[in-house]
Amino acid sequence: MEVEDLFSGGAREEAAQSTGQSPLKSLQVDLDFYSESIREVAMEIIEEGYSSYPIFVAHQHEVSVGEVILDRTELETNWTINASTLEEFVEMDIIQEDRKATFIQNYKSARDFMCLFVVVAEGANFVFYPYK
């Protein structure tokens, strides 16, 4: 799956028009603000048996993976966070089945780190960010 496939509608064009400094600076501010809420959702995903590997999608436009848990418009922040799981990423072929074991090996403790799939116009990547 290409990163463009994650964007819905015209959001890809909007994303391509974004200018200025790296959006990752604002992501760090938002993650510190969202930290406790993301940890609670991660623990709920694990404790309810949905997955042992929660993944949170950080984006500034509509994406087609996961469910919105923290909306940037409602919270007057810069980033929206969707909750997802390793299983959904494999199902959507974002993580290929033959790479699943490698992903699990590199996955950091969900109690200490949030696993983020950061989607920007230029691409997407996994980041592990410590809870505050």
Side-chain angles (χ1 to χ4, degrees), residues 2-85:
E2 298 297 319
V3 72
E4 292 85 4
D5 297 336
L6 296 174
F7 289 103
S8 62
R12 177 72 178 129
E13 289 75 35
E14 287 176 35
Q17 294 173 2
S18 65
T19 60
Q21 72 183 50
S22 170
L24 299 180
K25 292 183 188 296
S26 65
L27 177 58
Q28 183 176 7
V29 171
D30 285 0
L31 291 177
D32 291 344
F33 177 70
Y34 293 154
S35 184
E36 191 56 39
S37 296
I38 292 173
R39 183 186 302 208
E40 286 176 20
V41 173
M43 294 302 99
E44 188 174 308
I45 289 170
I46 293 168
E47 290 166 5
E48 296 291 324
Y50 295 116
S51 177
S52 296
Y53 305 97
I55 299 173
F56 296 93
V57 183
H59 59 94
Q60 294 182 311
H61 305 283
E62 293 298 314
V63 296
S64 58
V65 61
E67 293 185 32
V68 174
I69 59 165
L70 298 162
D71 185 285
R72 71 188 184 107
T73 305
E74 290 177 15
L75 298 169
E76 298 180 3
T77 56
N78 291 298
W79 290 83
T80 295
I81 305 295
N82 291 15
S84 185
T85 63

Side-chain angles (χ1 to χ4, degrees), residues 83-99:
S84 185
T85 63
L86 170 60
E87 293 78 7
E88 181 180 14
F89 271 61
V90 170
E91 182 179 307
M92 293 184 75
D93 205 29
I94 298 168
I95 296 175
Q96 295 169 344
E97 184 69 42
D98 63 344
R99 306 291 236 140

